[in-house]
Amino acid sequence: MFKFLSTLTSKQQKLVVLTVPTLTLLLSGGTVLPAWERYDQAKRKLERQRAEMAELIRNLPKPDASRTYFVRNDAKESTMFVREITAIARGAECDLASLSAPGSQDVRDAGKSGGDSPWYISPVTVQVSLIGTYPNVRRFLSGVVNSRRVYSITGLDLRARWNAESGSLDNRVSAQVRLDRYVAMRARPSGKVTPSTGNETLPGMK
Amino acid sequence: MLQNPRPQTSVTLAITPDALFAVQTRNDGGRLAIVKSGSEAVPPGCFTDGSVTDPQHLGRTIRTLWHRLGFKERAASVVLPSGLCALRAVRLPALSAPERRPVVRGELEHVGALPFRGGAFDFFWVEEATSGEVALAEAFALYTHDEVVTGIRSVLRYADLRLATLEPMSVGVLRACALAAPAEGAMAVLCLDDQAADFCILEAGQVRYLRRIPSGWADLQAPGAGAPDAPADATTAVPHVVPFLVTETLRSVAYYSRVRGSSPEPAQLVVPAVPADFNRLASIFHEAAVPPISAINPQSAFGVELLDPAQPPSTLPAQLLAAIGTGAAAVGLQTGIPTLDLAQDDPVTHVSNPWSAALPATVGASLVWLLLAFAGWSALTANADRAENDRQLLTGRTVEMRAKQAPLLLQEQLQERTRTLQATSNLPVAALLGQVASATDKEISVQNLSVGIDGSVTISGEALTADAVQRFSYALAMGVTLREPRIDTLKQDLPDRATFRIVGKIVPGTTLVKNTAGGS
């Protein structure tokens, strides 16, 4: 090629000397700069993805497994609830008289879980009637508070009982405990939640 | 000091638009010998308007001729047609040899014959007889454009040859005439080309006078150019006129005789021509008072066959003689006519063309730059692809991890919601019962205790005395669960029996603490 270049006239050589570096610069700039931008963009995206991954690993969800905060609202839920309350009452040496839902009060709040999740937390109010000594009732309440499943005690009505045989106050009291249990339920497409009936009565209760 | 030995043989090329001729000469102990000669037709399109337009093709043609004739030379001298160079005479004071070339260039540049620091030229330096106190000299300069020299060089490069000398045709013819017909006195030589003729006077084998006459074979061969044997047609008859070439030749001889009064007049006028052309020329010149005219051709003078004897072009003898004459100088024959090389290195023109020096470096650097740019582009593209692949892989893993974490995340969110709900609704009734139990003494009988959903607490019962009720209320106030207890009603129904009702408030509070230790 240099042999060919030496055959050019001085004007052609001048043209080549001026145009070849210019074209070279333009060509190299036109190829290298877009490649650099593409590389830089890809690198930034990769860094963002790495940071997102690190954030994901750093903020791993750690749900509390020591307690049962809510139970999915299915057919077994009410049975499990009655069984646990019965066990607590039995442990507190209280007689469980009745267990009923107060009707319209059963759903006070429907807390959405957040994000796009269709799951909601709904408190289901239950009224438990039981008979026992004052310390036993207190033990029952402590048992409810410290049970594995989470409940909220939202009301209490404690009354002394009259013993007609002895003509004096009985050492046992009747207590009506109002408590909430929490169930998780799915929202309907309309956005309304499906509350549990919460009306469970154990056969043979006093 | 060692001198470069002259080559034993030399090849000279005469290039015309129709054919190129090669003559190989040799110095046989001071005598010129023609070793080989040959020609090759020039492919059409190699020449346009007298300049080389396809050097590559022409170079291949020279190479073909080279192989056919078996030449081993790596360099060639070239005869430049008169039409591609110009001639100008410059009168100057007598100068030393090193001063002559810059001064002649300056004069040629001054009159615009040469571009500033450009062009190619060489000259004959003829000292004149001293007139008065100033010694004068005349420089007969032949010059041409850079493009012509570059074109010839490029043609030879394509033929893998080096340009030895580039000599105007008329100079080669003069040398050939000096070799063929050495004369003691003066001799005029008229070297005709198609469009121009160089008139020269040799004296004792040295150039004394040289001028360009702008008329050549083309003018002489025009109808009615003054030839008495021209066809005398009644309708196309052209008035007999003395051609411009003849009058200028006569004028040149007269001028030379007047200026160089002490020099002998030329004894003969030699014209390179084939017999047919010479007869025509002689008939034109026969009435003019010129020296006796004679012809010279390469066949008669040097035994070189005319390459196309059937219908040789009028310029062929001059071209072949020029090739022989230039070849004679190339092999070192002394003729008194120095080599007039238009392709010689001229430091002035070298300075004027920095582009040639910068060209290889520029192109080389550009190539290196392009290679580096390509390497950079390749590396960047590969890295970008790798980064993109890594990102896609990472994105897939992130999505997979999010999918795996989604149930745990939902559970955590629902737990948090439950915790919030419980914190706003759970009443510390167990603690309240403990506080009531600890505040109760033997004089107090709590018969009813109710806690409303809003946290309002009502404690009612009986006491033995009102003081007992006050102590009970005070003890309740000492606790932390029941806030602001106050005696709502107090009735002393009997001396040992009082009924009371104490109201207060408990605040909902969570009993749940998030298990930060986590769990599975």
Side-chain angles (χ1 to χ4, degrees), chain B residues 273-288:
Chain B
V274 293
D277 287 331
F278 176 71
N279 292 335
R280 183 179 181 81
L281 197 65
S283 65
I284 296 172
F285 273 89
H286 82 288
E287 290 179 349

Side-chain angles (χ1 to χ4, degrees), chain B residues 180-244:
Chain B
E184 291 296 325
M187 177 176 66
V189 178
L190 189 63
C191 179
L192 284 104
D193 203 349
D194 278 334
Q195 302 293 336
D198 286 344
F199 176 78
C200 177
I201 293 178
L202 295 176
E203 188 179 324
Q206 293 188 341
V207 174
R208 301 298 300 167
Y209 179 73
L210 189 62
R211 69 159 295 201
R212 170 68 54 88
I213 300 172
S215 177
W217 287 115
D219 295 332
L220 293 175
Q221 288 167 353
D229 56 348
D233 185 74
T235 56
T236 60
V238 177
H240 173 74
V241 292
V242 178
F244 178 71

Side-chain angles (χ1 to χ4, degrees), chain B residues 82 96 352 358 419:
Chain B
S82 297
S96 61
S352 69
R419 211 175 279 122

Side-chain angles (χ1 to χ4, degrees), chain B residues 46-284:
Chain B
C46 289
F47 271 91
T48 304
D49 297 333
S51 61
V52 179
T53 52
D54 191 354
Q56 195 171 0
H57 203 174
L58 193 57
R60 283 203 299 269
T61 308
I62 292 173
R63 205 67 211 157
T64 304
L65 178 65
W66 221 256
H67 287 303
R68 186 162 61 78
L69 296 177
F71 292 156
K72 304 296 182 190
E73 282 78 0
R74 305 290 299 167
S77 299
V78 176
V79 171
L80 189 67
S82 297
L84 294 180
C85 63
L87 191 153
R88 185 176 286 265
V90 182
R91 178 162 290 186
L92 298 165
L95 299 169
S96 61
E99 294 175 313
R100 291 170 189 169
R101 187 170 178 86
V103 172
V104 173
R105 166 173 276 283
E107 287 296 316
L108 292 176
E109 289 178 352
H110 178 69
V111 299
L114 283 181
F116 182 66
R117 290 189 171 183
F121 81 103
D122 207 351
F123 57 94
F124 291 118
W125 185 264
V126 179
E127 300 277 354
E128 291 183 358
T130 305
S131 62
E133 295 180 353
V134 180
L136 295 175
E138 201 159 17
F140 300 101
L142 287 125
Y143 56 92
T144 186
H145 302 292
D146 285 324
E147 287 74 15
V148 172
V149 182
T150 308
I152 297 292
R153 282 189 197 280
S154 65
V155 168
L156 291 188
R157 276 201 191 94
Y158 281 118
D160 285 336
L161 293 173
R162 183 174 52 81
L163 179 62
T165 57
L166 179 64
E167 198 166 52
M169 184 178 76
S170 52
V171 178
V173 169
L174 288 177
R175 197 176 293 114
C177 290
L179 283 170
E184 291 296 325
M187 177 176 66
V189 178
L190 189 63
C191 179
L192 284 104
D193 203 349
D194 278 334
Q195 302 293 336
D198 286 344
F199 176 78
C200 177
I201 293 178
L202 295 176
E203 188 179 324
Q206 293 188 341
V207 174
R208 301 298 300 167
Y209 179 73
L210 189 62
R211 69 159 295 201
R212 170 68 54 88
I213 300 172
S215 177
W217 287 115
D219 295 332
L220 293 175
Q221 288 167 353
D229 56 348
D233 185 74
T235 56
T236 60
V238 177
H240 173 74
V241 292
V242 178
F244 178 71
L245 176 67
V246 177
T247 58
E248 284 300 303
T249 304
L250 289 173
R251 207 161 65 86
S252 300
V253 172
Y255 171 80
Y256 180 75
S257 300
R258 183 168 56 85
V259 173
R260 309 283 171 82
S262 59
S263 299
E265 288 192 2
Q268 60 175 339
L269 177 63
V270 179
V271 181
V274 293
D277 287 331
F278 176 71
N279 292 335
R280 183 179 181 81
L281 197 65
S283 65
I284 296 172

Side-chain angles (χ1 to χ4, degrees), chain B residues 439-446 462-465 468-470 472 500:
Chain B
T440 304
D441 57 17
K442 292 180 180 178
E443 296 182 2
I444 293 292
S445 171
V446 176
E462 293 179 351
L464 292 179
T465 62
V469 175
Q470 290 177 11
F472 178 60
F500 65 91

Side-chain angles (χ1 to χ4, degrees), chain A residues 104-117:
Chain A
S104 61
Q105 292 290 319
D106 60 349
V107 178
R108 292 205 313 272
D109 185 20
K112 194 178 178 185
S113 65
D116 296 330
S117 172

Side-chain angles (χ1 to χ4, degrees), chain B residues 169-455:
Chain B
M169 184 178 76
S170 52
V171 178
V173 169
L174 288 177
R175 197 176 293 114
C177 290
L179 283 170
E184 291 296 325
M187 177 176 66
V189 178
L190 189 63
C191 179
L192 284 104
D193 203 349
D194 278 334
Q195 302 293 336
D198 286 344
F199 176 78
C200 177
I201 293 178
L202 295 176
E203 188 179 324
Q206 293 188 341
V207 174
R208 301 298 300 167
Y209 179 73
L210 189 62
R211 69 159 295 201
R212 170 68 54 88
I213 300 172
S215 177
W217 287 115
D219 295 332
L220 293 175
Q221 288 167 353
D229 56 348
D233 185 74
T235 56
T236 60
V238 177
H240 173 74
V241 292
V242 178
F244 178 71
L245 176 67
V246 177
T247 58
E248 284 300 303
T249 304
L250 289 173
R251 207 161 65 86
S252 300
V253 172
Y255 171 80
Y256 180 75
S257 300
R258 183 168 56 85
V259 173
R260 309 283 171 82
S262 59
S263 299
E265 288 192 2
Q268 60 175 339
L269 177 63
V270 179
V271 181
V274 293
D277 287 331
F278 176 71
N279 292 335
R280 183 179 181 81
L281 197 65
S283 65
I284 296 172
F285 273 89
H286 82 288
E287 290 179 349
V290 295
I293 184 168
S294 62
I296 181 172
N297 66 62
Q299 191 173 14
S300 60
F302 298 100
V304 175
E305 291 290 336
L306 291 177
L307 303 168
D308 189 4
Q311 192 178 0
S314 301
T315 57
L316 181 60
Q319 287 160 352
L320 284 177
L321 283 172
I324 292 167
T326 302
V331 295
L333 279 176
Q334 299 297 327
T335 60
I337 300 174
T339 301
L340 202 141
D341 186 10
L342 297 184
Q344 63 181 290
D345 288 336
D346 193 339
V348 175
T349 57
H350 285 181
V351 174
S352 69
N353 186 16
W355 308 110
S356 177
L359 192 63
T362 306
V363 174
S366 299
L367 281 175
V368 171
W369 181 267
L370 269 183
L371 287 175
L372 289 175
F374 177 73
W377 174 82
S378 302
L380 286 172
T381 305
N383 283 335
D385 289 343
R386 193 161 54 239
E388 183 65 24
N389 288 339
D390 289 350
R391 189 186 70 82
Q392 288 180 356
L393 197 66
L394 212 54
T395 304
R397 285 183 184 169
T398 306
V399 170
E400 192 179 342
M401 186 175 281
R402 281 191 191 284
K404 281 183 182 175
Q405 289 181 357
L408 294 175
L409 195 65
L410 177 63
Q411 190 178 2
E412 193 180 53
Q413 289 170 347
L414 292 176
Q415 281 186 0
E416 186 61 34
R417 183 62 189 161
T418 305
R419 211 175 279 122
T420 305
L421 290 172
Q422 206 245 11
T424 56
S425 61
N426 185 48
L427 298 171
V429 291
L432 177 67
L433 291 187
Q435 188 178 348
V436 170
S438 64
T440 304
D441 57 17
K442 292 180 180 178
E443 296 182 2
I444 293 292
S445 171
V446 176
Q447 295 178 353
N448 198 356
L449 188 152
S450 67
V451 181
I453 195 167
D454 57 347

